[in-house]
Amino acid sequence: GERSDVGLIENYRLRVVEDDDVRLLFDWRNSLHIRKYMKNTDIIQFENHLQWFKNCKNKILRLCLYKDKPIGLIQFDLDAFNGTCEWGFYIGEQAVPPGSGKIMCSLALDMIFHQVGMRKVCAQVLDYNVKSLSLHKKLCFHEEGRLLQQVVRDEKFIDIILFGLFKETWDREKASLWEV
C-alpha cells in the first residue's frame, strides 16, 4: 500500500530555542507525562523556570519541529574541554507520529557530533523509564553503570542508569537504525 509520509525524517527539523519559547517549555516541563521522568517531579514555579531558562544560555537547546510545529526539546550540557556532554530530551506534545523521539534524537546526535564536534554523549535514565531505556539502546548507547537507589519515587528507591555513546559508534551504526 501507499506509505504515508507521517514519520518521514524530512518532516522534522531542529531549531534554536528562542525567548518566545519560554512559555511553551514551561507548560511542557510541568506536564505530568514529562515530570514523572525527571529527577525532580515537583511542579515548577514560573520564576524558577525563568532562572532555568536563563541558565540554559551555557547549554545547547534545540526545539524539534514536526511540519513546523514544536513537538519536543533536546538539551546538551557541554564539557568542551573533554569533548563530552550530557543530554536530556522529551517529546512535549502527546499527539505526535510514532517514531518522533527516534527521529528527533537522531537529528540531535548528528548535530552534536558533526556540527558541535563532541566525541561522546552521556545520559542518565531513571530505571522505570522504559521508553527512554529502549530508545537509548536503539540509538546504540551502551550502559556504563548504575547509581543504585539514587532517587526516591513513591517511597521506593530508584536506580539511575548511565549511558554513553561515542561518535565513532554513532557514525558506524546510525544507518542501521532505519532498516526495516
Side-chain angles (χ1 to χ4, degrees):
E2 282 293 298
R3 186 170 176 275
S4 92
D5 71 338
V6 163
L8 284 185
I9 200 160
E10 299 79 60
N11 289 323
Y12 295 83
R13 67 185 177 85
L14 301 179
R15 79 153 165 79
V16 173
V17 169
E18 291 153 6
D19 288 342
D20 288 349
D21 300 318
V22 71
R23 172 58 69 174
L24 173 69
L25 296 180
F26 176 69
D27 294 340
W28 281 354
R29 291 178 73 215
N30 271 322
S31 61
L32 185 60
H33 77 281
I34 289 169
R35 260 191 308 120
K36 69 180 177 195
Y37 297 116
M38 295 294 181
K39 279 190 198 159
N40 180 351
T41 55
D42 297 340
I43 293 278
I44 300 160
Q45 301 306 313
F46 194 66
E47 308 78 71
N48 298 357
H49 173 69
L50 286 177
Q51 193 54 53
W52 169 85
F53 194 77
K54 233 171 64 189
N55 293 342
C56 284
K57 300 287 182 241
N58 317 322
K59 300 177 184 185
I60 292 184
L61 257 66
R62 292 291 182 274
L63 270 188
C64 179
L65 308 183
Y66 171 70
K67 295 188 171 176
D68 291 328
K69 177 187 193 297
I71 60 162
L73 179 77
I74 301 239
Q75 171 180 323
F76 291 97
D77 216 336
L78 304 190
D79 175 347
F81 180 80
N82 290 303
T84 61
C85 59
E86 180 96 30
W87 81 339
F89 56 84
Y90 49 80
I91 295 289
E93 295 301 319
Q94 293 195 283
V96 297
S100 291
K102 185 171 131 182
I103 292 174
M104 173 177 78
C105 290
S106 298
L107 292 171
L109 289 168
D110 266 343
M111 177 202 75
I112 206 72
F113 287 133
H114 294 286
Q115 292 168 31
V116 182
M118 292 287 109
R119 64 181 185 84
K120 184 182 183 187
V121 174
C122 303
Q124 297 191 14
V125 183
L126 297 170
D127 69 5
Y128 61 83
N129 192 344
V130 179
K131 267 187 163 167
S132 185
L133 292 172
S134 156
L135 182 56
H136 279 88
K137 287 173 185 154
K138 269 189 202 136
L139 294 168
C140 307
F141 278 76
H142 290 281
E143 186 174 324
E144 295 187 345
R146 260 175 197 260
L147 303 173
L148 298 175
Q149 301 185 14
Q150 187 74 2
V151 295
V152 180
R153 280 291 182 288
D154 303 321
E155 299 174 12
K156 289 191 204 65
F157 291 107
I158 305 297
D159 295 357
I160 292 180
I161 301 171
L162 307 175
F163 286 101
L165 174 66
F166 288 97
K167 177 182 185 290
E168 302 74 61
T169 308
W170 173 248
D171 288 342
R172 187 178 64 239
E173 303 291 340
K174 67 180 177 186
S176 67
L177 286 180
W178 309 108
E179 289 162 10
V180 176

